[in-house]
Amino acid sequence: MKAKLGKVMTLFLVTGLLFGCKAKSQNITKVNTEEVSVSIMEPAKLTEKESFYLNASGDNLLAYDAKFKEDIRSLTFNLYKYTDKHWEKIDKGNIPLDNTGDAWIVVSEHLFDFKICVKRGNSMISQQKDPLKPLWEEGYTADTDVVQKYTIEKDKEFPVVAYRRFHVDDTSERKAYLNDFQNTENIKADKNDEYFMLTFIFE
């Protein structure tokens, strides 16, 4: 019951943040609809108050703005786990997008408990997946790497969040890198090391 209440509260906070942004001044509306030379996705510039609302539930959420030069109609996301020296796709989803204006994206940094919420135009869609494992299993810690400003290429997959979870007694270096999605030869892992990657494809 407590877990369900937490999920509902998270969705309420994210929804409030997205619709709250829409209700702001006309100046923000002009910024959101300005012409761009290329399609880009970058971290949203949040106030301290907005950041508090976004993560008040402790879900470690990331907020991005996406501006489109091309005709983008959907966002596909893929969740991978590093297994036997390759990235194995363990989950996926697709979010249809209105064809006007910028997109506001909220997504989990901790991929064990995955959530995503996207708003563009009059459409807002959220999805969440069942937790893969307990978030805070005793004796484990994690490292993450998240995308910063990125030039979007239509139909091209790119990594958004790298999440690596390992035992605190592990003395070897365990870091998460977005570049590991293409360069698996650099990854050193063992049975106490669980490595996940989230990717986006704008289509």
Side-chain angles (χ1 to χ4, degrees):
M1 183 66 182
K2 185 177 180 182
K4 291 183 178 179
L5 181 60
K7 292 180 184 297
V8 172
M9 192 64 181
T10 297
L11 184 59
F12 174 78
L13 289 168
V14 171
T15 303
L17 178 64
L18 290 173
F19 278 103
C21 291
K22 185 178 180 182
K24 289 187 177 182
S25 68
Q26 292 298 314
N27 290 334
I28 291 182
T29 303
K30 291 179 181 178
V31 171
N32 285 340
T33 57
E34 67 183 359
E35 188 73 15
V36 293
S37 57
V38 293
S39 299
I40 60 170
M41 188 179 86
E42 59 186 346
K45 296 176 175 63
L46 302 179
T47 65
E48 183 179 357
K49 184 177 182 180
E50 289 168 340
S51 296
F52 168 77
Y53 287 149
L54 183 65
N55 284 300
S57 62
D59 283 318
N60 294 88
L61 299 172
L62 305 168
Y64 289 96
D65 292 333
K67 304 181 190 304
F68 304 113
K69 180 67 174 178
E70 301 175 278
D71 182 27
I72 301 293
R73 299 299 181 95
S74 70
L75 169 60
T76 293
F77 60 87
N78 295 311
L79 184 61
Y80 295 88
K81 182 177 181 180
Y82 185 72
T83 305
D84 297 329
K85 300 183 179 181
H86 74 282
W87 291 107
E88 178 183 353
K89 188 183 294 184
I90 59 174
D91 216 331
K92 63 182 180 179
N94 181 270
I95 296 178
L97 303 174
D98 279 1
N99 63 349
T100 57
D102 304 336
W104 302 337
I105 303 167
V106 174
V107 66
S108 302
E109 180 179 3
H110 289 175
L111 298 181
F112 271 104
D113 193 22
F114 180 73
K115 303 176 181 69
I116 185 170
C117 184
V118 182
K119 185 179 188 308
R120 189 183 188 196
N122 295 320
S123 173
M124 187 180 77
I125 297 175
S126 62
Q127 295 186 22
Q128 65 183 44
K129 304 294 183 179
D130 292 334
L132 301 176
K133 276 191 174 182
L135 279 179
W136 301 117
E137 190 173 349
E138 186 176 354
Y140 280 82
T141 186
D143 187 62
T144 62
D145 189 19
V146 301
V147 70
Q148 298 302 313
K149 188 172 183 178
Y150 181 83
T151 300
I152 298 168
E153 296 180 52
K154 188 175 181 179
D155 300 323
K156 182 177 180 179
E157 187 174 26
F158 65 96
V160 177
V161 179
Y163 180 85
R164 194 165 191 171
R165 185 174 177 272
F166 51 93
H167 200 274
V168 293
D169 293 334
D170 192 340
T171 57
S172 57
E173 184 178 12
R174 291 287 186 261
K175 295 292 185 182
Y177 298 103
L178 294 174
N179 288 338
D180 283 345
F181 185 63
Q182 287 85 16
N183 304 309
T184 56
E185 67 275 9
N186 298 329
I187 302 173
K188 296 179 181 179
D190 58 34
K191 64 180 181 179
N192 292 322
D193 183 356
E194 295 183 298
Y195 201 175
F196 298 88
M197 191 79 66
L198 172 71
T199 67
F200 282 178
I201 308 171
F202 286 100
E203 301 166 303

